[in-house]
Amino acid sequence: QVQLVESGGDLVQTGGSLRLSCAASGSISSINVLGWYRQAPGKQRELVAAISSSGRTSLADSVKGRFTISRPIPWNTVYLQMNSLKPEDTAVYYCAAETRLRAAPYWGQGTQVTVSS
């Protein structure tokens, strides 16, 4: 199994920055991809950024140029650096791990990000 714990969510003003952290534990060697998702009230959960075990990254178009995903080597943590935050970035941000253990991803409990206008 894999356990994920997110941290770093906060209330910030428009244009501000935050760095989210996701600490992974358990069967870390089984992780293929670590990703950040977000879910705003009344909206579906969406993928924000992901990074593979080989270091390949992907970002949603809505956050390109503002967000960066990174992780140390060897990895047990993944970071989401969020700059130039906008009110529409307000959401609960979840960390998810795709692993070789099972088809369904593992999820963290989420961390709230609120951007005030």
Side-chain angles (χ1 to χ4, degrees):
Q1 289 197 348
V2 173
Q3 296 79 39
L4 303 170
V5 178
E6 304 99 329
S7 62
D10 206 344
L11 168 65
V12 295
Q13 293 185 335
T14 297
S17 297
L18 281 176
R19 188 175 83 155
L20 304 183
S21 299
C22 172
S25 60
S27 299
I28 296 174
S29 60
S30 70
I31 298 174
N32 292 323
V33 178
L34 278 173
W36 284 98
Y37 290 73
R38 66 185 180 187
Q39 187 166 21
K43 295 188 176 181
Q44 289 189 333
R45 191 171 297 190
E46 63 174 352
L47 177 63
V48 177
I51 186 164
S52 72
S53 56
S54 64
R56 181 173 296 181
T57 62
S58 63
L59 292 167
D61 288 343
S62 59
V63 305
K64 284 181 180 177
R66 301 188 298 123
F67 291 11
T68 304
I69 187 169
S70 63
R71 53 108 163 131
I73 300 174
W75 71 348
N76 63 349
T77 305
V78 64
Y79 303 102
L80 185 67
Q81 178 66 42
M82 306 186 295
N83 300 325
S84 303
L85 283 162
K86 305 175 181 180
E88 50 264 43
D89 295 318
T90 295
V92 178
Y93 284 70
Y94 297 92
C95 182
E98 297 178 12
T99 73
R100 296 187 290 277
L101 301 176
R102 67 185 195 188
Y106 291 89
W107 293 93
Q109 82 288 350
T111 186
Q112 177 71 47
V113 172
T114 303
V115 185
S116 64
S117 57

